[in-house]
Amino acid sequence: MTALTLSTSAAAGLRADAVVVGVAKGAKGPVLASGAEAVDEAYEGKLAAILETLGASGAEGEVTKLPAPAGYKSPVVVAVGLGEVPEKDADHAAETLRRAAGVAARALSGAKKAGFAFPLAGPGAVAAVAEGILLGAYAFDAYKAGNGDAKGAKAPLAEAALLGGKPRDKAHKAAVERALAVSEELNRARDLVNTPPNDLNPEAFAAIASAAAKENGIKVQVLDEKALAKGGFGGILGVGAGSASPPRLVKLSYTHAKAKRHLAFVGKGITYDSGGISLKPAGHNETMKCDMAGAAAVFAAVVAAARLGLEVNVTGWLALAENMPSGSATRPGDVLRMYSGKTVEVLNTDAEGRLVLADALTKAGEEKPDVIVDVATLTGAMMLALGLRTFGIMSNDDALRATVHELAEQAGEPSWPMPLPSHLRKGMDTPTADIANMGERAGGGLVAGLFLKEFVAEGISWAHLDIAGPAYNEQAPFGYTPKGGTGTAVRTLVALAERAAAGDLD
Ligand code: BES
Ligand code: MN
Ligand code: ZN
């Protein structure tokens, strides 16, 4: 990952490939953001005018490269658009800085070093810029031929110096440390999502999680297919029944001696979702390696919580299975006996996520955590409802739903509260079993949420994040979001753990 330093160097003397400045979109043309003062002076105070001449407006996502001023040790200045100028006296929003830093980092892929002469008003801005750089400078090239620069993709920016950062300031240092831990784990979640499903099956995922857990002092327990059968995990086994790669349930326990709260995170980990016997048509299964993005987010968040040493207990549950059709696969019409004892008639084997989650939710509830949050690429319906960048939040607790939404917003992860209308429950009634795994088509994302709710123990606050839209970006990269796995929900989960550690989660 990109090396990050807080630097007191002057922009002029920095030996790098580029110096980056921010430029906002003013009513009368581009307006330089703070941090760029010295660079502007070197252009004799004309940098904004030069940028305007070059056609720059300061719009979000815009990148303008120009020769550095005479005497500069770096050859290029990169001006990156921040969008609208903030209200009078206000600072740029954290997410604005994060995105702009990400855009700059992406524009600088292939470069060795860049200096960021960005607005760094305080530790919040330092954190945002650091995170934007670390998340923007991401490439998944493990499967590209050749090495280093010969690979198909350019290597991410190797080193970034935050000019004007305070290397001796505790808060600045802590902001960089946190950004490093969170971003490194988030990028690892992206790697897992991007890894093709012939290499990342449930067993392989469990092995990676176990190794990382051990490195970070997290207790790990893996239930293999035998243990799952012995334990009666009918949902996880039913989904995995058609695959040559058997399912796993991974438990990651991070504990802190001073913890007063216990959070449980549950992730959907379908390493490939073909739909099973209710096979997905061509055009709908090419990206279904992404169906373990919930489990990847949970894994990353637990490891990040451990690395940050948060004073909270966090248990991560990864419900891992591959959904494949075969002679041994679950059929539409089969009835599964779930870990909770409830029976489920499987009417559509493509509604598999709720089945693996149901077992994991019941198991997670046995420890009576204060809060359970599950994360899942659960329904196409949520993508239709909220688009491709926003995840839905459903909950049995209004306060928790609001808290998750607020923390997600601060973290830079767009989300929206969704209801769980009780009238939709009867659509899952079936004469054969306690519940069917499908209900009304209308409100399909909410129906899935209502199904999960049946497996959450009475009295536990629970939230369900349906990340089907934002988990995987098939469109062009934007801000600090690359193509492919995005790592969505990691930062929201970490923020929730921090909130709990601070004792502010009631
Ligand atoms: N993994 C899919 C949901 C999904 C679709 C995630 C597209 C990411 C992108 C899930 O298992 C699924 O197939 N859901 C079905 C449920 C239906 C059969 C009730 C859906 O949404 O169509
Ligand atoms: Mn499916
Ligand atoms: Zn799925």
Side-chain angles (χ1 to χ4, degrees):
M1 207 167 60
T2 310
L4 209 74
T5 49
L6 293 163
S7 169
T8 53
S9 292
L14 187 78
R15 277 182 205 282
D17 299 290
V19 171
V20 185
V21 299
V23 54
K25 190 173 191 283
K28 296 191 209 91
V31 178
L32 286 182
S34 62
E37 294 81 2
V39 182
D40 187 31
E41 264 171 49
Y43 284 106
E44 294 168 350
K46 296 193 180 104
L47 180 51
I50 295 170
L51 286 169
E52 188 164 23
T53 309
L54 291 172
S57 68
E60 189 184 326
E62 178 186 86
V63 173
T64 312
K65 294 187 182 181
L66 60 163
Y72 264 50
K73 297 274 193 299
S74 303
V76 176
V77 166
V78 175
V80 53
L82 297 168
E84 301 297 316
V85 175
E87 299 279 302
K88 200 174 175 299
D89 297 332
D91 293 329
H92 284 282
E95 179 64 359
T96 302
L97 297 178
R98 242 184 244 123
R99 287 192 187 186
V103 168
R106 283 194 293 108
L108 286 162
S109 55
K112 292 274 178 289
K113 183 171 181 179
F116 282 73
F118 253 44
L120 295 179
V126 170
V129 174
E131 214 172 272
I133 294 169
L134 296 169
L135 297 179
Y138 171 83
F140 182 72
D141 53 11
Y143 290 81
K144 294 273 192 188
N147 291 303
D149 292 345
K151 288 191 179 185
K154 279 188 197 165
L157 174 65
E159 191 182 342
L162 303 190
L163 306 179
K166 299 177 186 154
R168 279 183 190 79
D169 182 303
K170 262 194 182 165
H172 278 213
K173 279 198 290 193
V176 170
E177 285 306 310
R178 181 189 181 279
L180 274 169
V182 173
S183 305
E184 208 160 68
E185 297 312 320
L186 193 154
N187 283 339
R188 173 151 52 186
R190 289 171 170 178
D191 283 347
L192 286 169
V193 173
N194 290 330
T195 301
N198 53 333
D199 280 346
L200 194 84
N201 59 29
E203 188 182 1
F205 194 156
I208 291 169
S210 300
K214 281 172 195 150
E215 270 173 38
N216 290 282
I218 297 164
K219 214 178 115 199
V220 58
Q221 192 186 352
V222 179
L223 301 189
D224 64 10
E225 68 271 32
K226 275 193 199 133
L228 290 168
K230 204 167 162 222
F233 291 86
I236 297 175
L237 286 167
V239 172
S243 173
S245 306
R248 296 284 184 269
L249 178 63
V250 178
K251 179 186 184 186
L252 302 166
S253 313
Y254 164 66
T255 54
H256 192 287
K258 291 191 194 152
K260 294 198 177 63
R261 288 273 180 273
H262 178 196
L263 304 181
F265 297 156
V266 177
K268 171 178 173 182
I270 302 300
T271 58
Y272 184 69
D273 182 13
S274 72
I277 298 292
S278 314
L279 195 63
K280 286 181 189 292
H284 290 264
N285 50 26
E286 294 81 354
T287 58
M288 277 304 134
K289 64 176 182 181
C290 81
D291 216 17
M292 35 55 72
V298 165
F299 166 50
V302 176
V303 177
R307 284 180 59 169
L308 296 171
L310 301 182
E311 293 185 4
V312 58
N313 293 340
V314 184
T315 310
W317 298 90
L318 317 180
L320 309 175
E322 187 184 43
N323 188 22
M324 294 290 273
S326 80
S328 60
T330 293
R331 293 159 283 255
D334 281 356
V335 173
L336 303 176
R337 186 170 294 278
M338 309 294 279
Y339 179 70
S340 76
K342 282 199 171 109
T343 55
V344 177
E345 185 178 20
V346 178
L347 293 180
N348 188 322
T349 61
D350 199 11
E352 84 297 340
R354 63 198 75 183
L355 299 172
V356 299
L357 287 171
D359 277 358
L361 284 167
T362 310
K363 186 74 183 158
E366 285 177 357
E367 297 188 335
K368 299 267 173 262
D370 297 295
V371 167
I372 302 180
V373 179
D374 77 71
V375 187
T377 46
L378 206 58
T379 66
M382 198 55 58
M383 307 168 81
L384 294 181
L386 295 177
L388 299 176
R389 295 191 184 183
T390 305
F391 62 76
I393 311 172
M394 283 146 270
S395 180
N396 61 1
D397 175 342
D398 292 345
L400 177 64
R401 194 197 308 103
T403 299
V404 172
H405 178 49
E406 176 204 322
L407 292 172
E409 174 74 27
Q410 288 165 9
E413 300 190 316
S415 69
W416 204 251
M418 299 295 275
L420 290 171
S422 55
H423 73 91
L424 290 174
R425 169 61 183 85
K426 66 178 182 304
M428 291 181 282
D429 283 348
T430 156
T432 315
D434 296 330
I435 189 169
N437 76 331
M438 267 203 27
E440 284 180 39
R441 207 171 85 87
L446 320 180
V447 170
L450 281 166
F451 180 93
L452 297 180
K453 188 167 174 261
E454 301 270 322
F455 297 88
V456 176
E458 207 58 49
I460 297 186
S461 282
W462 155 78
H464 158 56
L465 315 187
D466 189 338
I467 60 167
Y472 197 80
N473 178 29
E474 289 186 70
Q475 299 177 328
F478 58 93
Y480 50 85
T481 305
K483 238 180 146 62
T486 62
T488 191
V490 172
R491 290 175 295 147
T492 299
L493 294 179
V494 172
L496 191 67
E498 287 173 329
R499 175 68 65 96
D504 293 339
L505 198 69
D506 39 23

